[in-house]
C-alpha cells in the first residue's frame, strides 16, 4: 500500500492540512513576535515561514534528500507534536488547535 505522500489523494490531504492549519494559526492572537511575523505559511519544501521578519527558507531542509525531495514526506516527519502529552513546541500552535499532520491526513484519506 502506498504511503500518503505518494498518492495524489494523500497529497491533496496534505494541502488541506496546510490550508486549515495556516488559517487557524493566522487567526491566533499570539505573542508580539509571533503576530509580527504573520501571515504564516508553508513553503514549497513544507517548511513554516513568516511573512515579516522571518523565518524564511531559501533552500530545502538538510534532510530533504532523505525524503526523496518530497515535500509531503518531509512534512509527515516534521509536523507532529513532540511535547508533553502530544503538544506542540510552539504555544500558538496549541492555542490554534492545530492537528498533527498524521491524524489529519489519515482522517482525510478515510473520508475520501
Amino acid at each position: 500500500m502506498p504511503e500518503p505522500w505518494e498518492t495524489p489523494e494523500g497529497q491533496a490531504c496534505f494541502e488541506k492540512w496546510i490550508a486549515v492549519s495556516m488559517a487557524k494559526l493566522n487567526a491566533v492572537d499570539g505573542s508580539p513576535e509571533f503576530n509580527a511575523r504573520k501571515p504564516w505559511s508553508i513553503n514549497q519544501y513544507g517548511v513554516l515561514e513568516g511573512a515579516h521578519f522571518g523565518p524564511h527558507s531559501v533552500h530545502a531542509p538538510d534532510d530533504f534528500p532523505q525524503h526523496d525531495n518530497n515535500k509531503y514526506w518531509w512534512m509527515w516527519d516534521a509536523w507532529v507534536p513532540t511535547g508533553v502529552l502530544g503538544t506542540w513546541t510552539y504555544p500558538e500552535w496549541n492555542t490554534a488547535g492545530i492537528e498533527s499532520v498524521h491524524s489529519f491526513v489519515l482522517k482525510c484519506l478515510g473520508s475520501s
Side-chain angles (χ1 to χ4, degrees):
M1 182 146 180
E3 297 290 353
W5 56 84
E6 297 174 326
T7 67
E9 298 82 11
Q11 292 174 4
C13 290
F14 278 92
E15 290 297 329
K16 285 180 188 175
W17 180 87
I18 291 170
V20 168
S21 298
M22 292 305 101
K24 287 180 175 183
L25 195 60
N26 286 311
V28 165
D29 186 16
S31 71
E33 180 182 341
F34 172 86
N35 291 336
R37 293 179 174 182
K38 288 180 181 179
W40 293 97
S41 63
I42 299 287
N43 73 10
Q44 72 271 24
Y45 305 114
V47 175
L48 180 69
E49 290 191 329
H52 305 289
F53 314 112
H56 290 287
S57 175
V58 293
H59 301 290
D62 291 342
D63 61 349
F64 208 59
Q66 293 147 336
H67 294 89
D68 288 338
N69 298 317
N70 183 311
K71 164 186 175 176
Y72 306 110
W73 186 5
W74 187 87
M75 289 173 59
W76 185 262
D77 288 346
W79 296 117
V80 179
T82 59
V84 176
L85 300 175
T87 59
W88 293 100
T89 305
Y90 314 107
E92 289 85 0
W93 283 58
N94 295 310
T95 301
I98 298 191
E99 187 174 352
S100 163
V101 74
H102 290 188
S103 60
F104 185 97
V105 168
L106 293 175
K107 279 194 270 186
C108 175
L109 286 170
S111 66
S112 350

